[in-house]
Amino acid sequence: MNETTLGQRDDPIHEVRLRDRPCVTAYHDAIMNNKHLFENKVVLNVGSGTGVLSMFVAKVGAKLVYAVDSCTRTCDLAAELIKCNHLQNKIQIINKRIEDIDKFDENIDIIISEWMGFYLFHESILESVIYARDKFLSLPSPNNDITPDQNESINIFPSHAYLYCAPFVDQNIRIELNTMWKDYFNLNMSPILSHIKNSRLDQCMIETIEPSQLVHDAQLIQSIDLRTIRVNDLYTLRSFCEFHIKNTCIISGFCFWFDCYFSSNNNSSILRSTRLTTSPYSFRTHWKQTLAFLPEDIYPLKGDTVPVYIKLKQSTTNRRQYQLSVVLKRIKEGICVDNDSSDSITRRRQRRRSSTISSDKRTYSQNKSNDTSSDSNTDDDDGNHNGSNEHPIPCLCDRDRCKLIKTIIESHSEENMIE
C-alpha cells in the first residue's frame, strides 16, 4: 500500500489547519488548562506556521516564544498577525529549519508543535521535534536511556500520541470505481482507469468515514511518548492485530486514525489530560481518516479471527513520508454455537470471493438514493429489524439492499463452499 503525496504542509497560509476547529480547540484548551507551565517560561514552537500556537502561549504569560518555520511566506504572514495582536515583544520569528539553528539566546523550557501527519507519521515533522528536544532541552546523551526523573523534567506538547486500526466496510468507493467507467452513459470507458489516480485502490485514501462503517472495535497499533522516543525508532514500525469477529460482516480494508494527549508532568493520568482525536466517532479534522483497501472484500463469519500485519516504513528519499503496508493472513475459522443446541458444532463454511456489492450498478445506485439514512434509522413496521441500526449479513428482511447482498452471497456459495 503506497503512500499518497498530500502536500497540505505546502499551503503557505495553512488555511486547512486554521479551519480545523477540533485541532485548534484542543491546543487552545491544553495551553489554557496548563497556564502554570508556560508562565515566565521560554517556549519553542517547532513548525510555527502562522503563529497561532505561539500567540496562545504568549497570551498565557510566556516570557518568550521562539516561533521557528522554514517557509518565508508563512513567516511574513505570521509576523503581520502577531503584530496585529500586539504580541511582537513576546514572540520572535525565526525563518529557518530547526535543524539549521545552532543555539538560542535563552534556554528552552517547553516545546510545542503541531507535528502530526496523516496516519500520524506520513508528512509529519516528528523528527524535527525530536531533534529540537535532544538539541535544546536538557537531556542525557543519546547513548543513554532517559530515566523516569529526567523524563518528568521534559515538557513537550502534545506529550503522547496513539495510532489505531479497525476494519471497515466500503459503501461506495470501490463500487463506483468498478462500475461507473464500465457503463458510462452506455459507453465502455474502462481504458480510462489506468489514467485515474489510485483507480486500483492500491494507495491509501484520506477520507472521512461513518462510525457505522467500522465492523470491529479499534486496536492500538503504535504509541509514542514524545519525551523518550528516538529517531531510530521511526525507521520501521511494525504491528500485529487479531480481530475476533462477533458478527458476520464484510471487510473492505482497514481504517487508521490517531489521538494525541497534552499531559503535564504533574498529571496523575495521561487520559485525564486534553485530547485531540481524529477518530470517526468525533468531529472531523483535516487529517480525516486513512483507508487502506484490501485487493478484494473479505467475508469473515461470526467466530472467525482476522489476523493482520501492519508495517510503516520510512521513505529513504523523503524522511517525512511513509509507506503503509497491510498484510492479511489466513483467516482463522471459528466455531459456532447453535442457540437451539448446547453442543458446539463446526459450521458449514461459505467462503465467497469478493465481488463487492456492485454486480448490478443501476440497482445499487437507485436503492442507495432511496435508502440514504437506512443505517441510522429503523425499518418500518413491515421489516424484521425495527429498533435496530444494523442488519446481519446475510439478512432475510425485505429491504432492497439486504436482498441485493443476499443475492450476491448466494451466487457464489456453490462455487466456494468449504466444509
Side-chain angles (χ1 to χ4, degrees):
M1 186 70 61
N2 296 323
E3 74 277 0
T4 52
T5 303
L6 302 158
Q8 290 191 0
R9 288 193 176 272
D10 297 333
D11 175 12
I13 66 169
H14 293 199
E15 180 182 359
V16 173
R17 280 181 280 171
L18 291 173
R19 289 179 177 274
D20 188 341
R21 299 285 295 189
C23 172
V24 178
T25 298
Y27 275 90
H28 177 269
D29 291 350
I31 292 168
M32 296 302 163
N33 293 338
N34 292 278
K35 291 182 180 180
H36 61 284
L37 292 179
F38 298 97
E39 290 175 347
N40 299 315
K41 297 295 177 63
V42 178
V43 181
L44 172 59
N45 184 185
V46 179
S48 54
T50 50
V52 171
L53 303 187
S54 296
M55 289 188 278
F56 287 166
V57 170
K59 291 186 75 171
V60 297
K63 174 184 175 183
L64 176 63
V65 183
Y66 291 113
V68 178
D69 199 283
S70 61
C71 179
T72 302
R73 288 178 61 192
T74 304
C75 288
D76 290 344
L77 177 58
E80 186 177 346
L81 294 170
I82 289 166
K83 184 176 180 180
C84 183
N85 286 276
H86 312 292
L87 295 170
Q88 63 271 26
N89 294 329
K90 283 195 168 186
I91 302 174
Q92 180 180 334
I93 298 174
I94 302 176
N95 183 201
K96 287 184 178 181
R97 294 169 64 248
I98 189 68
E99 292 84 355
D100 296 332
I101 299 175
D102 291 328
K103 65 178 182 178
F104 294 99
D105 294 336
E106 302 269 356
N107 293 328
I108 304 299
D109 298 308
I110 303 173
I111 293 175
I112 187 167
S113 177
E114 191 264 272
W115 58 265
M116 299 79 74
F118 299 97
Y119 51 93
L120 191 59
F121 298 98
H122 183 60
E123 294 193 355
S124 79
I125 57 169
L126 178 55
E127 282 199 11
S128 296
V129 174
I130 295 173
Y131 174 88
R133 181 200 68 193
D134 294 347
K135 175 88 173 172
F136 302 114
L137 290 180
S138 178
L139 291 172
S141 66
N143 295 325
N144 297 328
D145 292 332
I146 298 175
T147 66
D149 290 342
Q150 291 166 325
N151 181 34
E152 287 301 306
S153 67
I154 303 169
N155 278 315
I156 301 179
F157 267 29
S159 58
H160 299 80
Y162 302 92
L163 180 63
Y164 299 92
C165 173
F168 75 96
V169 58
D170 167 40
Q171 296 178 336
N172 54 58
I173 297 173
R174 201 196 306 264
I175 291 171
E176 180 177 345
L177 286 172
N178 284 349
T179 60
M180 177 179 178
W181 301 109
K182 294 177 183 177
D183 183 11
Y184 184 80
F185 295 94
N186 293 322
L187 298 174
N188 185 350
M189 302 285 285
S190 54
I192 205 173
L193 284 170
S194 61
H195 301 278
I196 295 176
K197 185 177 180 181
N198 201 22
S199 62
R200 294 183 297 175
L201 296 179
D202 55 358
Q203 295 181 340
C204 296
M205 293 193 71
I206 307 301
E207 295 286 347
T208 299
I209 68 170
E210 296 298 323
S212 59
Q213 292 181 249
L214 301 178
V215 299
H216 196 283
D217 293 338
Q219 291 195 21
L220 176 66
I221 60 171
Q222 292 293 335
S223 61
I224 294 177
D225 186 337
L226 270 292
R227 298 170 294 186
T228 59
I229 191 168
R230 301 294 186 185
V231 170
N232 292 346
D233 300 333
L234 302 178
Y235 296 155
T236 303
L237 302 103
R238 292 183 173 88
S239 306
F240 174 72
C241 298
E242 283 191 324
F243 296 99
H244 303 286
I245 305 302
K246 297 179 181 178
N247 295 294
T248 299
C249 64
I250 302 173
I251 295 179
S252 304
F254 295 88
C255 176
F256 299 84
W257 68 85
F258 63 86
D259 289 351
C260 290
Y261 288 86
F262 299 78
S263 175
S264 61
N265 293 334
N266 60 358
N267 276 2
S268 58
S269 172
I270 294 171
L271 297 180
R272 295 181 187 175
S273 62
T274 304
R275 180 181 71 142
L276 164 61
T277 181
T278 63
S279 163
Y281 297 97
S282 292
F283 295 109
R284 171 177 169 170
T285 70
H286 75 275
W287 291 284
K288 303 181 183 179
Q289 289 87 46
T290 299
L291 306 182
F293 279 82
L294 295 171
E296 293 184 328
D297 288 359
I298 60 172
Y299 297 82
L301 305 179
K302 181 179 179 180
D304 287 353
T305 298
V306 179
V308 182
Y309 286 92
I310 300 165
K311 182 171 75 171
L312 289 158
K313 185 173 179 59
Q314 191 178 60
S315 170
T316 55
T317 57
N318 185 342
R319 293 166 68 90
R320 291 185 178 178
Q321 293 190 351
Y322 278 79
Q323 183 180 46
L324 172 60
S325 301
V326 177
V327 178
L328 179 67
K329 295 299 183 180
R330 183 181 178 87
I331 294 177
K332 301 176 184 178
E333 298 181 359
I335 294 187
C336 176
V337 178
D338 193 336
N339 291 332
D340 298 329
S341 170
S342 58
D343 297 327
S344 295
I345 60 174
T346 303
R347 283 178 298 172
R348 194 172 183 84
R349 313 298 300 173
Q350 292 183 341
R351 288 293 172 211
R352 293 152 311 255
R353 219 174 13 160
S354 168
S355 58
T356 57
I357 312 168
S358 60
S359 58
D360 188 335
K361 176 201 168 190
R362 285 198 183 92
T363 303
Y364 181 83
S365 300
Q366 291 168 2
N367 291 342
K368 187 173 186 295
S369 63
N370 295 329
D371 209 20
T372 331
S373 60
S374 58
D375 286 339
S376 59
N377 297 330
T378 58
D379 290 347
D380 58 25
D381 293 337
D382 295 330
N384 298 323
H385 302 282
N386 194 23
S388 174
N389 289 341
E390 296 182 1
H391 292 214
I393 299 176
C395 174
L396 301 180
C397 79
D398 291 329
R399 196 175 70 162
D400 290 338
R401 185 171 183 273
C402 293
K403 289 193 291 185
L404 177 59
I405 294 173
K406 182 174 179 290
T407 301
I408 292 171
I409 289 174
E410 288 175 349
S411 68
H412 291 283
S413 59
E414 289 187 6
E415 179 185 351
N416 298 283
M417 186 76 71
I418 300 176
E419 291 295 336

